[in-house]
Amino acid sequence: MLTPLTVTLAVAALALAAWCGWAAYRDQPTKDWHFIGMAVVTLLALAQLVVGIVKLAGGEDPADGAVIFVSYLIGVVCCLPVVGLVSLTERTKWGSLTVVAGAVVAAVLEVRLHDIWGGGAGA
C-alpha cells in the first residue's frame, strides 16, 4: 500500500476530529468549513481506494486477504459522509461530536489498513 497516503489520511482525519472537537467545546454545530474538511478527507480516502484497487489489480496481495482489505477501504470512504449527514440533522454541539467520532474511527481504520496490507512490508 502507499504508506505516505495512509499517514496523510490518518493525520487529516485526526486534525478534522480536533477541529470539530473545538467547535463542540464551544457549543457550536458543524459549519460549512467543517464540511469542506470532511470533503478533503473523503477525497483522500477515495484516492486511497483507487490506489488500493490498482495495487490489487497489479497482482499485489494484502497479508490478511483482499476482501477484508477492500472492505476497510470502502469503510473509510463511507465513514465521514455518513457522520456528515448525521451532523446535518443534529445542529448542536452533538453534531460536531458525531464528526469527531467518525474522524477518529477513520484514523483507526487507517491503522488497521496498514496492518492488513502487511505492516509496511509492501510500502
Side-chain angles (χ1 to χ4, degrees):
M1 199 46 195
L2 193 59
T3 301
L5 180 58
T6 303
V7 170
T8 301
L9 210 156
V11 169
L14 290 174
L16 178 65
W19 187 22
C20 289
W22 179 249
Y25 175 75
R26 296 182 344 207
D27 289 328
Q28 294 179 343
T30 48
K31 309 275 180 160
D32 290 343
W33 291 108
H34 297 118
F35 288 101
I36 292 170
M38 285 183 258
V40 167
V41 175
T42 301
L43 287 174
L44 287 170
L46 284 170
Q48 185 182 41
L49 175 67
V50 170
V51 168
I53 289 174
V54 166
K55 290 218 178 239
L56 287 174
E60 295 184 44
D61 286 323
D64 288 347
V67 173
I68 293 173
F69 179 70
V70 172
S71 299
Y72 271 84
L73 285 173
I74 292 170
V76 172
V77 170
C78 294
C79 193
L80 286 173
V82 169
V83 296
L85 287 173
V86 171
S87 76
L88 279 174
T89 63
E90 183 59 50
R91 302 304 297 160
T92 64
K93 72 175 183 179
W94 298 106
S96 294
L97 284 174
T98 302
V99 177
V100 170
V104 169
V105 166
V108 170
L109 289 175
E110 287 302 311
V111 172
R112 183 65 183 124
L113 270 169
H114 182 70
D115 290 341
I116 290 170
W117 188 259

